[in-house]
Amino acid sequence: MSQALKEDVEEGVVFAPRFDAHGLIVCVTVEAATRDVLMVAYMNELALEKTIETGFAHYWSRSRRELWRKGETSGQTQKVLSLRVDCDQDALLLEVDVGGDGKACHTGRKSCFYRALNGDGALVFSADGA
Amino acid sequence: MSQALKEDVEEGVVFAPRFDAHGLIVCVTVEAATRDVLMVAYMNELALEKTIETGFAHYWSRSRRELWRKGETSGQTQKVLSLRVDCDQDALLLEVDVGGDGKACHTGRKSCFYRALNGDGALVFSADGA
């Protein structure tokens, strides 16, 4: 990136998300009330458009290769309270209110990050099952 | 992924991070004290190893193509309090204590996510300049 372009991207007010070679941008989704990181997913241009247009999070499922309105079947919708972009505009941060039972992860847990690495190099499940 | 493998990856205690075709895994870094999302960056296998070994966040800089110990020159080190992995083990979540002046973003701000999209489609800078 040239210095002038870098300045525009980082210090400008123009929203110019940078999709990768696969047409995707990574998105971190945080629950507004608790600030828990719920999930990391990807959006293509259409998913981002639909998210902005409807006010509800849409993602691109890389495994199913389809647009995915979060909670469409499960009820765990994500109402977008804010959409942020990072300095170089290649990552998004959604702050959401979660619908349904609030379990964002397809495994039935609140957050996808339900395991932490311990000192022995094994994963330990969160005590609260979240 | 087969159903058996999926079960191992999602419900097992074996840490088996899934690096992408470029040998990278995405990492979300959150400040422990405030739960602010500071940044999204990438690790290769070496960066992850160094992070675990030293207890301080290391990333792979895609632009500079080099291993990067966060804060090495700036002093804004990130002491790792926990390292989490998501359900399908293709994303990491670090909870950190930040050293130095606490400004994780190279633009001199605390968080890389210092701009939000407003209703008119323009970006608005955070009032606190964070």
Side-chain angles (χ1 to χ4, degrees), chain A residues 6-58:
Chain A
K6 192 172 150 75
E7 180 79 12
D8 281 349
V9 167
E10 294 183 352
E11 300 298 335
V13 297
V14 177
F15 183 48
R18 292 167 57 211
F19 297 93
D20 69 12
H22 304 287
L24 301 176
I25 188 166
V26 67
C27 176
V28 181
T29 303
V30 173
E31 185 182 42
T34 60
R35 313 203 82 194
D36 285 344
V37 175
L38 299 176
M39 56 189 282
V40 169
Y42 293 83
M43 291 185 182
N44 62 2
E45 200 165 358
L46 180 61
L48 178 57
E49 274 175 23
K50 289 282 182 190
T51 299
I52 294 169
E53 183 187 307
T54 64
F56 283 88
H58 289 65

Side-chain angles (χ1 to χ4, degrees), chain A residues 10-11 35-36 109 114, chain B residues 10-11 35-36 109 114:
Chain A
E10 294 183 352
E11 300 298 335
R35 313 203 82 194
D36 285 344
R109 297 173 176 96
Y114 50 84
Chain B
E10 294 182 352
E11 301 298 335
R35 312 204 82 194
D36 286 343
R109 297 173 177 96
Y114 51 83

Side-chain angles (χ1 to χ4, degrees), chain B residues 16-45:
Chain B
R18 292 167 57 210
F19 297 93
D20 69 12
H22 304 287
L24 301 176
I25 189 166
V26 67
C27 176
V28 180
T29 303
V30 173
E31 185 182 43
T34 60
R35 312 204 82 194
D36 286 343
V37 175
L38 299 176
M39 55 190 283
V40 169
Y42 293 83
M43 291 184 182
N44 61 3
E45 200 166 357

Side-chain angles (χ1 to χ4, degrees), chain B residues 6-125:
Chain B
K6 193 173 148 77
E7 179 80 11
D8 281 349
V9 167
E10 294 182 352
E11 301 298 335
V13 296
V14 177
F15 183 47
R18 292 167 57 210
F19 297 93
D20 69 12
H22 304 287
L24 301 176
I25 189 166
V26 67
C27 176
V28 180
T29 303
V30 173
E31 185 182 43
T34 60
R35 312 204 82 194
D36 286 343
V37 175
L38 299 176
M39 55 190 283
V40 169
Y42 293 83
M43 291 184 182
N44 61 3
E45 200 166 357
L46 180 61
L48 178 57
E49 274 176 24
K50 289 283 182 191
T51 299
I52 294 169
E53 183 187 308
T54 65
F56 283 87
H58 289 66
Y59 303 102
W60 175 255
S61 167
R62 295 179 301 168
S63 54
R64 298 194 305 272
R65 303 192 61 76
E66 63 180 22
L67 182 72
W68 160 44
R69 182 185 190 275
K70 179 68 184 168
E72 192 164 26
T73 51
S74 66
Q76 289 114 18
T77 52
Q78 296 179 338
K79 185 177 180 183
V80 177
L81 302 191
S82 75
L83 189 163
R84 294 178 169 273
V85 66
D86 76 343
C87 44
D88 56 0
Q89 302 210 31
D90 67 356
L92 302 174
L93 174 61
L94 289 187
E95 198 184 20
V96 302
D97 269 348
V98 184
D101 62 7
K103 298 187 188 307
C105 183
H106 75 285
T107 65
R109 297 173 177 96
K110 178 181 174 184
S111 165
C112 295
F113 293 95
Y114 51 83
R115 289 172 297 183
L117 193 65
N118 76 3
D120 299 329
L123 296 176
V124 178
F125 285 74

Side-chain angles (χ1 to χ4, degrees), chain A residues 36 101-105 107-115 124-130, chain B residues 10-11 84:
Chain A
D36 285 344
D101 62 8
K103 298 187 189 306
C105 183
T107 65
R109 297 173 176 96
K110 179 181 174 183
S111 164
C112 295
F113 294 94
Y114 50 84
R115 289 172 297 183
V124 177
F125 286 74
S126 297
D128 60 2
Chain B
E10 294 182 352
E11 301 298 335
R84 294 178 169 273

